[in-house]
Amino acid sequence: MNRETIRNIMNDEGILPQSKFGQNFLCDETIIKEIVDLCGIKREDRILEIGPGLGSITYPISELTDGLTCVEIDHGLAEYLSANISNAAIVNCDFLKYENCTDPDVIVSNIPYYVMTDIMKKLFGEFSKARKMIFMVEDEAIARIDCGPNTKQYGPLAILCSIYGTYNYEFKVPHTAFIPQPRTTSAVISFVRNDSADILSPDFVRFLNSCFSMRRKMLRKNLAQTSPSEKISEAFIRLGLNENVRAEELNPNDFCGLYNALK
Ligand code: SAM
């Protein structure tokens, strides 16, 4: 879909982009093709797209598989897509409330930036069996995704990303690739699952959130809200952790060990 097609659909359907839903529609055909190629879709794959918008990525994916499900919060956009794409399931709801029992193979999203962290946490917690995830994110958000212990940005999101699999920064996307144009530059990133993702679950995400609930406090204080202190002490000794350590000092593997020890 190019700029003209998007403009025509918006005019014909009387659609005005809603900034409260982070609606910036992708209108650069080269970038759309690159994103779809990155998905590496096989015909039998089940694909989950979050926030299909006017269908820039949705249409080309629907040509590759009949297993596409899209979750769109905006009623008007969901209605438009349902009427125009016959071989995809369009679900009209807030993805943060979406419940599903089928595991997708591939997940793709030009993520609404205002809710990026929550969407990614939900994906890694509930849909981590997917073999690949491809996201468009705000370029400046990469600092929260690709960072290690003892940095300001390090927290549950970076840990989940690292545990899920191999991360790759694919390419930058200029603001001119969207209608309307966002203020910031975007980036396409990908994750390929590896076996360490087996530990991921909603409970594991809750555990990480609780570890960082009071960032500057000692980790054992945060853990004491959910686990008995003797169990915490035993786990720290077994894993060789300093009793005064803070969550931001541990690496992703430490969190996996601690989770298993406290379960
Ligand atoms: N995929 C389209 C594209 O690339 O042109 C649209 C991307 S736009 C940046 C983000 C889309 O996510 C919008 O269609 C918006 O309505 C939708 N959205 C925003 N918040 C959402 C939520 N919580 N759940 C599901 N969809 C959401």
Side-chain angles (χ1 to χ4, degrees), residues 21-26 51-53 56 72-73 94-95 110 112 114:
F21 289 146
Q23 290 176 357
N24 301 98
F25 303 121
L26 193 53
S56 302
E72 172 57 61
I73 198 170
D94 178 346
F95 179 68
N110 173 4
Y114 75 101

Side-chain angles (χ1 to χ4, degrees), residues 6 18 20-27 32 35 49-58 71-74 77 91 93-97 109-115 119 136 178-179:
I6 300 256
Q18 300 207 52
K20 69 170 178 186
F21 289 146
Q23 290 176 357
N24 301 98
F25 303 121
L26 193 53
C27 59
I32 292 169
I35 293 173
E49 183 187 6
I50 299 110
L54 288 171
S56 302
I57 306 170
T58 323
V71 181
E72 172 57 61
I73 198 170
D74 184 309
L77 294 182
V91 182
C93 77
D94 178 346
F95 179 68
L96 299 180
K97 299 185 180 142
S109 181
N110 173 4
I111 298 194
Y113 299 159
Y114 75 101
V115 72
I119 287 183
M136 171 101 75
F178 303 90
I179 296 178

Side-chain angles (χ1 to χ4, degrees), residues 124-144:
F124 289 125
E126 293 176 34
F127 299 91
S128 62
K129 289 204 172 70
R131 68 167 186 270
K132 202 166 187 190
M133 302 196 197
I134 318 294
F135 302 125
M136 171 101 75
V137 297
E138 215 170 5
D139 201 40
E140 59 193 39
I142 300 290
R144 273 182 282 144

Side-chain angles (χ1 to χ4, degrees), residues 37-251:
D37 287 350
L38 276 172
C39 293
I41 294 169
K42 301 180 210 141
R43 189 142 280 284
E44 67 277 12
D45 277 343
R46 284 161 305 193
I47 316 294
L48 173 64
E49 183 187 6
I50 299 110
L54 288 171
S56 302
I57 306 170
T58 323
Y59 281 104
I61 290 182
S62 71
E63 284 165 15
L64 302 174
T65 173
D66 291 331
L68 172 61
T69 298
C70 305
V71 181
E72 172 57 61
I73 198 170
D74 184 309
H75 181 69
L77 294 182
E79 209 170 57
Y80 164 75
L81 283 182
S82 300
N84 286 282
I85 300 187
S86 56
N87 65 333
I90 313 293
V91 182
N92 178 208
C93 77
D94 178 346
F95 179 68
L96 299 180
K97 299 185 180 142
Y98 178 63
E99 286 177 11
N100 180 43
C101 47
T102 327
D103 291 317
D105 300 296
V106 177
I107 295 171
V108 61
S109 181
N110 173 4
I111 298 194
Y113 299 159
Y114 75 101
V115 72
M116 179 199 85
T117 301
D118 289 342
I119 287 183
M120 286 178 72
K121 280 182 174 178
K122 180 173 166 88
L123 287 172
F124 289 125
E126 293 176 34
F127 299 91
S128 62
K129 289 204 172 70
R131 68 167 186 270
K132 202 166 187 190
M133 302 196 197
I134 318 294
F135 302 125
M136 171 101 75
V137 297
E138 215 170 5
D139 201 40
E140 59 193 39
I142 300 290
R144 273 182 282 144
I145 290 169
D146 184 21
C147 60
N150 297 308
T151 59
K152 216 168 106 193
Q153 309 271 17
Y154 185 63
L157 179 63
I159 295 163
L160 292 167
C161 290
S162 158
I163 292 173
Y164 173 74
T166 309
Y167 160 78
N168 205 25
Y169 183 102
E170 300 291 350
F171 51 88
K172 259 193 205 324
V173 180
H175 63 115
T176 48
F178 303 90
I179 296 178
Q181 296 184 4
R183 280 197 211 99
T184 51
T185 303
S186 302
V188 172
I189 58 175
S190 68
F191 296 90
V192 176
R193 187 187 199 280
N194 63 34
D195 292 345
S196 57
D198 289 349
I199 197 171
L200 296 175
S201 67
D203 191 53
F204 185 76
V205 176
R206 277 191 292 276
F207 164 75
L208 287 182
N209 287 337
S210 70
C211 289
F212 282 84
S213 60
M214 290 175 288
R215 208 182 158 85
R216 302 300 302 162
K217 288 239 156 115
M218 286 182 287
L219 174 59
R220 66 186 162 80
K221 293 236 151 131
N222 288 335
L223 290 170
Q225 294 171 39
T226 46
S227 299
S229 53
E230 312 82 73
K231 205 167 175 189
I232 298 170
S233 300
E234 263 171 42
F236 272 46
I237 291 167
R238 188 150 22 114
L239 297 167
L241 300 177
N242 182 313
E243 61 169 337
N244 297 329
V245 77
R246 290 196 302 260
E248 63 194 25
E249 298 172 84
L250 297 193
N251 64 44

